[in-house]
Amino acid sequence: MTKKMDLFSLDDSDLFAADDDLFDFSLEKEYEAENLYLADSAKGLNLISNLLGVTDETKSKLRNIRRLDTLIDNKLLQSINKIQLKNEVHLYQELVKLSDKLFEQNKVALLKKKKTIGIGGQFSAGKSKFINSVIGEAILPEDQVPTTSIATYIVKGDNLFIEALTKNNQSVQLDLDAVKALSHAFYSTYNLGFSHFINNLVISTPVFPYESIAILDTPGYSKVDTTKKQAITDNEKALMQLKSVDYLIWLIDVENGVIKQADIDFIELLNMKNPVLIVFNKCDKKTESDVENIINTTKEYLKKSNIPLYEVVAYSAQDEKEYLNRNYLKTYFKEINRKSNTFVPLEEEIQKIINQLEHQIDEYFNAEQKRRNDVGNFIFKSDDISEIQTLTKVYAMLQQEIKEISNCRKNLAKTKEQILNQFNALVSGGFQ
């Protein structure tokens, strides 16, 4: 009988039944000399060629994805821009997020039927080490520098499988040597930073305990001693990576003190629907009273924000434990894993939101028709010429409003059909 794996109850010795060095990303001089991609320039250049390549099929897939993005991001709002609906902006933001999620799932087939937890924060907040401490093994390299940082998905799979997803939407399978080279010494050997043309790495491994969860490790959204222009680029990259996630863990180096307004502003840009967990890392370097003060002050700051907060916790990736006698981190993972077992296809989620818009338009149409009919009855019963003239103008305005609503209803129905047809085209093309 197979032993059930529980992320938070396993000892280190139990978590990995495979080779202990399976994900040892340390690159010492001896290894650098043995790595074929670093020692053999022909193999290194061939790896570069594979990662830069793009096929006609890939171009076609990209065009289809962009058509769907255009329909949701632009045409959907244009179809109802003549009227004002309740929660219109909120529903639109949800649709855009689903569109982004669809794009990620189309790139990463392994994300289907999983909830993604994004790990965000400033560069050097200790995100990779945090993930390794949660999982219990060094799956991710912890010594990345800005030139080599690549957002990485970790999912559960039957076998070890690693692929790079390029900005051309190309999938390139990699071996462990290639991953080690990309993550560390390739830049110094070939003066080429792969983060500029690789969107993601995907690591599927049997040691990841959760069937229904994917973790996304992202580069920092800002770095120390960076230029203003580079900081803007870093923010855009981080925003693009995180805007499609279902849940967010935001990591902060406790040595930097309470949460900064820049962090709050960035998280708010993500429009998170589900509760966000704020984690202060490296708490082994502070006294318990200092940590508690930072936690409490941060909670007060967040009360004034628009962030749906789960909790603020104190953690040490070095010690692999949560401080202040709390257990929020483990509970957060377990709750998400449990909820993720109830899977709703993206098509249904998209259609549900559009249906809400249609329902609101119908309600608006019926309400305006009633107002117009009521005004018509007043006109019919009135004997006052001045009153009749005023009511006639109101009647004409309502009639025009009803016409606008009717046009919006037709436009939305047409756009909905186009969105669903484009979605089905993507699915039939092998995206999911």
Side-chain angles (χ1 to χ4, degrees), residues 94-154:
E94 286 193 37
L95 272 175
V96 170
K97 196 172 189 69
L98 288 174
S99 174
D100 295 332
K101 187 176 178 180
L102 173 64
F103 183 74
E104 289 300 302
Q105 287 193 5
N106 287 335
K107 290 193 304 180
V108 189
L110 294 172
L111 295 183
K112 186 180 180 183
K113 296 186 178 181
K114 297 183 186 295
K115 295 295 185 182
T116 301
I117 304 176
I119 312 297
Q122 293 194 9
F123 196 84
S124 78
K127 294 183 290 296
S128 297
K129 188 174 183 66
F130 167 77
I131 293 173
N132 288 338
S133 74
V134 169
I135 295 174
E137 287 289 342
I139 287 181
L140 294 174
E142 298 172 8
D143 59 344
Q144 290 185 342
V145 295
T147 53
T148 62
S149 298
I150 300 172
T152 302
Y153 285 101
I154 304 170

Side-chain angles (χ1 to χ4, degrees), residues 17 78 120 129 235 380 384 429:
Q78 290 175 4
K129 188 174 183 66
N235 285 356
F380 180 76
D384 188 320

Side-chain angles (χ1 to χ4, degrees), residues 19 49 106 112 129 138-139 186 197 201-202 271 295 396 402:
D19 185 356
S49 177
N106 287 335
K112 186 180 180 183
K129 188 174 183 66
I139 287 181
F186 216 96
F197 56 88
L201 291 176
V202 181
N271 296 311
I295 296 291
I402 290 170

Side-chain angles (χ1 to χ4, degrees), residues 47-75:
L47 176 59
I48 294 172
S49 177
N50 289 337
L51 291 169
L52 288 175
V54 58
T55 64
D56 290 338
E57 180 184 4
T58 298
K59 292 177 182 177
S60 176
K61 289 179 179 179
L62 283 172
R63 283 194 294 268
N64 284 332
I65 293 173
R66 285 167 182 157
R67 288 191 193 105
L68 183 59
D69 276 340
T70 299
L71 285 170
I72 292 179
D73 293 353
N74 299 321
K75 194 169 182 180

Side-chain angles (χ1 to χ4, degrees), residues 119-127 130 221 249-264 267 277-283 294-295 298 302 312-316:
I119 312 297
Q122 293 194 9
F123 196 84
S124 78
K127 294 183 290 296
F130 167 77
Y221 82 95
I249 294 178
W250 191 260
L251 224 64
I252 302 172
D253 186 338
V254 74
E255 292 188 289
N256 293 331
V258 300
I259 191 169
K260 302 297 187 288
Q261 187 60 46
D263 286 6
I264 295 175
I267 297 172
L277 180 66
I278 307 294
V279 177
F280 279 91
N281 192 23
K282 307 180 184 179
C283 287
I294 290 172
I295 296 291
T298 294
L302 291 173
V312 181
V313 305
Y315 189 78
S316 168

Side-chain angles (χ1 to χ4, degrees), residues 31 120 134 188 254 272 362 394 409:
Y31 174 77
V134 169
S188 59
V254 74
M272 295 302 301
D362 288 341
V394 173
R409 183 159 59 176

Side-chain angles (χ1 to χ4, degrees), residues 366-409:
N366 293 334
E368 293 302 284
Q369 272 195 326
K370 184 179 183 304
R371 288 181 62 195
R372 180 202 60 187
N373 294 339
D374 289 342
V375 170
N377 288 332
F378 281 128
I379 293 173
F380 180 76
K381 296 176 181 178
S382 179
D383 295 325
D384 188 320
I385 297 298
S386 177
E387 184 180 56
I388 291 174
Q389 289 176 337
T390 301
L391 290 173
T392 300
K393 291 179 181 178
V394 173
Y395 187 93
M397 290 172 58
L398 290 171
Q399 190 68 11
Q400 181 62 32
E401 181 72 9
I402 290 170
K403 183 179 179 180
E404 294 284 5
I405 298 171
S406 181
N407 289 336
C408 286
R409 183 159 59 176

